[in-house]
Amino acid sequence: MLSPFLVCGRCGGKMTIAGSGRKKYYYYCATEKTKGKSVCEGMPGLVQDDVEHFVLGGLKTHLMQDEVYQAFRRKVETQMTAMVERSNSGLLVIEDQIRKRERDVANLVRASSEGGYSRVIAASLAAAEADLETLQAKHATETPQVIHLPKDLPSVYRAYVTDLTASLAHDLVVARASDALRAILDRVVIRYGVVA
């Protein structure tokens, strides 16, 4: 059931379903039905099955097209590679600083164990360890998070929409299917007399 997503192109009101018994169900403008022609001229009823087949079919065929997705995927990979290259040069500097600070900590620990306790050594060790922690945290935050897009996302998406289409036909799960559909569809504007 797509009624939460369908909007009248004349007044912007929600479309609602009407019909009963063995008759077909039709989508109508709810505003025209409740407030009359002075608010919205309305439109002829649209057969529910036809509208839903058209909208869900459009989601399967027009969104997430293979060639468009592959071009997008290549663009993302190119940008990720450039970002990693830029980031790596900065990370090399940080890694060099970490290695130096690790040597300082090791030397101070050795000096402390060989020469006994010294306030100067203890203070220097605490400062070196604090610097090392800061550098390690900076390294972790500046390491780029690489995005890996699956090659077969369009087919996964089409299977997802197919499952939603089947779920919308079952009363027990229609609410959950409608929520899932909301993640990929905001609204569908119905215009009378306009050929898309």
Side-chain angles (χ1 to χ4, degrees), residues 75-89 144:
K75 191 172 187 177
V76 167
E77 287 174 351
T78 301
Q79 290 177 348
M80 289 303 300
T81 301
M83 183 183 75
V84 167
E85 287 172 1
R86 280 192 310 273
S87 179
N88 282 345
S89 61

Side-chain angles (χ1 to χ4, degrees), residues 47-121:
V47 177
Q48 178 186 4
D49 289 342
D50 294 345
V51 171
E52 292 179 358
H53 177 75
F54 178 77
V55 170
L56 295 171
L59 286 177
K60 280 192 267 189
T61 57
H62 296 301
L63 290 180
M64 201 68 72
Q65 294 177 346
D66 290 319
E67 61 279 357
V68 175
Y69 172 71
Q70 294 308 330
F72 168 74
R73 189 171 169 269
R74 285 190 297 275
K75 191 172 187 177
V76 167
E77 287 174 351
T78 301
Q79 290 177 348
M80 289 303 300
T81 301
M83 183 183 75
V84 167
E85 287 172 1
R86 280 192 310 273
S87 179
N88 282 345
S89 61
L91 287 174
L92 290 174
V93 172
I94 295 171
E95 287 167 2
D96 187 48
Q97 292 171 339
I98 287 172
R99 280 190 296 275
K100 286 177 183 173
R101 193 48 80 191
E102 285 171 339
R103 280 194 304 271
D104 292 345
V105 168
N107 290 337
L108 288 165
V109 167
R110 187 170 40 258
S112 175
S113 65
E114 291 173 356
Y117 177 78
S118 162
R119 287 184 186 183
V120 173
I121 291 175

